[in-house]
Amino acid sequence: MRRPRGEPGSRAPRPTEGAICAGPGESCRGSVCGADRGRTKPLVQGHAAGSPSPNSMFRVLLSAQASAARLSGLLLLPPVQPFCLGPSKWRDQLPGGGSHAGPVQGLQRLLEQARSPGELLRWLGQNPTKVRAHHYPVALRRLGQLLGSQPPPPPVEQATLQDLSHLIIRNCPSFDIHTIHVCLHLAVLLGFPSDGPLVCALEQERRSRLPPKPPPPLQPVLRGGQRLEAALSCPRFLRHPQQHLIRSLAEAGPEELTPHVMVLLAQHLARHRLREPQLLEAIAHFLVSQEAQLGSKVVQKLVLPFGRLNYFPLEQQFLPCLERILAREAGAAPLATVNILMSLCQLQCLPFQALHFVFSPGFINHISGTPHALIVRRYLSLLDTAVELELPGYQGPRLPRKQQVPIFPQPLITDRARCKYSHKDIVAEGLRQLLGEEKYRQDLMVPPGYCTDFLLCVSSSGAVLPVRTQDPFLPYPPRSCPWGQAVSQPTTCDPVQRVVLMLRERWHCCRDGRVLLGSRALRERHLGLLGYQLLPLSFEELESQRGLPQLKSYLRQKLQALGLRWGPEGG
C-alpha cells in the first residue's frame, strides 16, 4: 500500500514491519521505525495467497532461538543496526545511502548464501510470491554444495519440505522444461519418494511437454517366411534374436523359405556372431536342397556364416555340394568364387580342383583388370599361405611370388573400431613394468602378413631377451615345416623361441564367448604352424583382473607357466 506523503515516520508502524520470515529455527528480529530510519521492501509481505498468516509468522518469531548475529547474516546487514522492513514505492535506501536490491534479486542472494539446507528451503517455501523460475537452479546448485559439505548438515524439517512441495506443485504448470528437470533433481536430492505427489506432478508436466507420438501403423498379417524376414529387419529382435528366428523358421513352410530370406538369415547370424546350430543347419539344408537353382553370388552369402562362426555343419552333402557349385560357376563370378574358398579355408577344407582353377594364370590375368583386383589378390595370398602350411599333398599351381601381397597389412576394422574397449593398452603397461620396454614388441607384423599383439624373444634357457638384439621374424616359407604336426608343438632350427601373446577380446569370439571366430582361429593356427609359440589371454581372465597390480600378477603367472625368466635372475 502506498505510504502517505509527509514526513517519514508520520504514521504508526504495522505489527509486521521490521520482520522478515525466515521459518522455524531462524531468528527474525526488528524494531519500530523512527523518523530517521530508511525503509526496505520485505521478502514476506502481508498475508498473500499461499503465504503464512500474521499469527503463524508471530509464532515463528516467538519460537526462534537464533542470535542477532545469525539473523543479521541472513539479512546481509550489519548486526548493530537493525531497521524496519516495510513496503515502499520508490527506491529503497540502505543506511549509508546505497540502494537495496529488489526482492527477487535479494532472494537469489539469500539462496546463494544459505548456511544449511533447512534455511535454503525456508527461503523458497515461505516467500512464494518472490520465487521465480531462475531461483530453482540457484537453489539446486547451493543445495548440492551444502549436502556435500563436511560435517554433514542437519536434516531438514518435514514441515519445510511440505511447504516446498506445495509451492512447486502449485507453480509447476508455468515452468519450462529446464525448470521442471531442475525441480526433479531437487526432489531426488531431498529424498522425495518417486511415487509421491511432488515427483508425480513434475513427471506429468514433463510428459505433457513431450511431442506426441505418432500412432503405430497397422501390422499386416504375415506368413511364415514374411515373419522371418520381418524379424531379421526389426531392431527389437536383437536382444534375444535366436528364439524369435527359430520360431519364425519353424512356422515357415518350405515354399516360403526363398533365397532372399535365407540370405538375410545368414547375414544376420554372421553380423551378430550368433553361432546357432539349428539356424546354421537349416541354411546348410537349404543350400543342398536348392543347389541347382543357386548361383555363386547367392552361395557366397549363404556360406559366409559357416566360416565366420567356425561351424562345420552336420549336413553330409554340404562340402560336395559346394565343390559342384564351384566347378560349375567358378569362372562366372571371380570374387564370389574366392569368397566361397575363403569360408572353406576358415573351415580347413579346401577343394583341390577349385584351387587349381583360382591359381591358374588365366584366372589371375582375368582378375588383374577388375575393380576388386587388390582384395582378390589378398584373398589368394591367404589361400596360398593355407596351401603352404596346411596342404602337404597339394601339387597344383600356386600364386606367383610377384602377385603376393600382405594378408592383413593393418589391424582389422573391428579391432580399430573397438580399440577403446580393448585390454591391449593395460596389458602393454603391465608388460612394460614387468619386463621392460626393450623385451617385447607390440603390433608387429610378421610374414606372410599376420599382426601379433605382443611378441617376445626367449632363449633356450627360458630367459626373455631384448627384442632389438634378435630377429623377431621366423622365415616364411618355413625352412622345416612339420606337416601334419599339431599347432601346439611347432619346431624350428632357430634356438631363439618367439612367444606371441594373443589377446582374445570379447568380439574375437562368437556370441556365446567360447568359440573363436573363423578369421581369428585361422590366424592363430597359421602362426602356430609357422613356429611361433602362442600364449592366449582370454577376455574372461582379463576382465576379472582388478587394476594393474592384479594384471601384473596374472601376466607373471602366465609367463612363468611357460618357463620364462626375466630380471636379474633371467638375464
Side-chain angles (χ1 to χ4, degrees):
M1 186 172 68
R2 180 178 299 180
R3 188 176 56 189
R5 294 191 179 182
E7 295 182 358
S10 59
R11 65 173 176 82
R14 294 189 179 92
T16 57
E17 289 182 353
I20 180 170
C21 181
E26 301 293 344
S27 176
C28 298
R29 196 175 294 179
S31 65
V32 179
C33 291
D36 57 345
R37 300 289 174 87
R39 297 177 183 271
T40 59
K41 188 175 295 185
L43 286 179
V44 175
Q45 302 183 17
H47 181 39
S51 62
S53 65
N55 290 335
S56 65
M57 292 170 59
F58 277 120
R59 284 197 297 271
V60 171
L61 293 173
L62 292 174
S63 63
Q65 302 296 327
S67 64
R70 171 68 169 163
L71 174 64
S72 63
L74 295 179
L75 296 177
L76 308 178
L77 297 174
V80 296
Q81 294 185 356
F83 54 93
C84 286
L85 296 175
S88 174
K89 177 182 176 182
W90 297 281
R91 244 184 137 97
D92 300 325
Q93 297 294 323
L94 289 174
S99 62
H100 190 281
V104 174
Q105 291 80 7
L107 178 59
Q108 177 172 339
R109 190 187 314 162
L110 293 171
L111 294 174
E112 292 173 344
Q113 298 183 0
R115 303 177 186 179
S116 69
E119 176 187 334
L120 174 77
L121 300 182
R122 286 192 289 273
W123 286 125
L124 286 176
Q126 298 182 0
N127 294 281
T129 60
K130 306 299 183 293
V131 177
R132 302 292 183 267
H134 70 273
H135 287 136
Y136 292 101
V138 176
L140 176 63
R141 181 170 61 251
R142 182 57 180 159
L143 182 63
Q145 296 171 353
L146 292 171
L147 293 178
S149 62
Q150 293 295 335
V156 183
E157 296 179 359
Q158 192 65 28
T160 304
L161 294 175
Q162 290 297 328
D163 290 342
L164 176 67
S165 175
H166 295 155
L167 173 67
I168 296 178
I169 291 174
R170 185 170 61 250
N171 296 329
C172 67
S174 62
F175 291 168
D176 58 12
I177 190 65
H178 173 69
T179 307
I180 291 175
H181 287 161
V182 169
C183 291
L184 282 170
H185 284 294
L186 270 174
V188 172
L189 279 178
L190 296 171
F192 282 93
S194 59
D195 55 349
L198 175 59
V199 176
C200 290
L202 290 171
E203 280 292 340
Q204 182 178 356
E205 291 295 332
R206 184 188 66 83
R207 287 192 296 267
S208 67
R209 285 159 172 77
L210 296 175
K213 293 183 178 180
L218 295 177
Q219 297 292 337
V221 179
L222 302 179
R223 303 177 64 187
Q226 293 173 322
R227 281 195 298 269
L228 179 60
E229 187 171 351
L232 295 169
S233 306
C234 185
R236 70 186 177 91
F237 286 101
L238 296 183
R239 292 185 179 179
H240 304 287
Q242 53 271 31
Q243 294 92 350
H244 297 283
L245 293 176
I246 292 172
R247 185 171 62 250
S248 300
L249 192 65
E251 294 173 354
E255 71 283 355
E256 296 175 312
L257 297 180
T258 64
H260 175 67
V261 170
M262 300 307 289
V263 165
L264 285 177
L265 176 61
Q267 292 174 339
H268 185 86
L269 297 178
R271 183 181 301 114
H272 299 288
R273 313 192 320 274
L274 297 174
R275 198 174 190 265
E276 288 296 326
Q278 287 181 268
L279 299 176
L280 291 168
E281 290 294 340
I283 296 175
H285 178 73
F286 176 83
L287 180 63
V288 171
S289 62
Q290 302 293 322
E291 172 189 347
Q293 286 76 36
L294 300 177
S296 58
K297 292 185 177 180
V298 175
V299 172
Q300 66 172 342
K301 299 174 183 178
L302 295 176
V303 177
L304 173 65
F306 296 97
R308 175 169 169 76
L309 302 174
N310 203 3
Y311 180 86
F312 195 90
L314 301 176
E315 174 63 54
Q316 296 182 356
Q317 291 299 314
F318 177 75
L319 185 57
C321 171
L322 289 177
E323 291 180 350
R324 291 191 294 269
I325 292 175
L326 287 172
R328 186 183 72 221
E329 299 199 11
L335 182 58
T337 300
V338 177
N339 282 335
I340 295 173
L341 286 174
M342 282 293 299
S343 296
L344 293 176
C345 178
Q346 293 171 350
L347 295 174
Q348 304 183 60
C349 49
L350 288 171
F352 282 19
Q353 184 177 356
L355 292 175
H356 278 256
F357 178 80
V358 296
F359 287 144
S360 64
F363 181 84
I364 296 175
N365 293 334
H366 174 67
I367 59 101
S368 297
T370 59
H372 42 264
L374 180 59
I375 186 65
V376 171
R377 287 174 59 193
R378 184 165 295 144
Y379 287 170
L380 291 179
S381 299
L382 191 147
L383 291 173
D384 187 80
T385 301
V387 169
E388 176 71 33
L389 298 175
E390 299 184 36
L391 297 181
Y394 180 79
Q395 300 294 331
R398 298 276 298 275
L399 185 66
R401 186 58 58 90
K402 63 179 182 179
Q403 296 285 348
Q404 295 181 6
V405 295
I407 300 172
F408 299 110
Q410 55 189 355
L412 298 177
I413 295 177
T414 54
D415 289 333
R416 297 200 303 270
R418 295 184 170 98
C419 61
K420 62 180 179 180
Y421 307 111
S422 175
H423 294 87
K424 185 171 289 188
D425 289 341
I426 191 171
V427 170
E429 180 62 23
L431 289 175
R432 187 188 69 82
Q433 296 186 18
L434 200 61
L435 305 177
E437 285 184 298
E438 73 281 357
K439 292 190 176 180
Y440 73 92
R441 288 285 299 275
Q442 181 177 348
D443 295 331
L444 182 66
M445 190 75 65
V446 299
Y450 285 113
C451 183
T452 58
D453 295 325
F454 300 97
L455 186 141
L456 283 63
C457 293
V458 182
S459 68
S460 57
S461 62
V464 181
L465 306 173
V467 180
R468 57 182 175 80
T469 64
Q470 306 295 324
D471 183 7
F473 305 113
L474 289 175
Y476 178 80
R479 296 192 183 98
S480 59
C481 185
W483 301 117
Q485 189 169 350
V487 173
S488 59
Q489 299 175 349
T491 60
T492 177
C493 300
D494 195 334
V496 177
Q497 191 177 27
R498 280 77 171 176
V499 177
V500 175
L501 278 66
M502 308 292 294
L503 297 187
R504 291 181 175 178
E505 303 283 8
R506 187 178 294 272
W507 56 90
H508 295 161
C509 303
C510 299
R511 186 62 65 93
D512 58 11
R514 298 179 181 85
V515 179
L516 275 178
L517 294 178
S519 59
R520 306 293 302 192
L522 176 68
R523 181 179 73 152
E524 293 193 9
R525 187 166 68 249
H526 284 185
L527 285 174
L529 290 172
L530 285 169
Y532 296 93
Q533 184 171 2
L534 304 183
L535 178 59
L537 306 177
S538 67
F539 70 89
E540 296 100 337
E541 295 175 347
L542 293 172
E543 290 176 355
S544 66
Q545 311 305 316
R546 296 291 181 260
L548 191 58
Q550 282 194 21
L551 180 70
K552 288 170 58 179
S553 176
Y554 163 76
L555 293 175
R556 183 183 293 109
Q557 294 175 5
K558 285 285 188 179
L559 296 176
Q560 289 177 347
L562 292 179
L564 273 59
R565 299 181 294 106
W566 59 90
E569 72 280 2

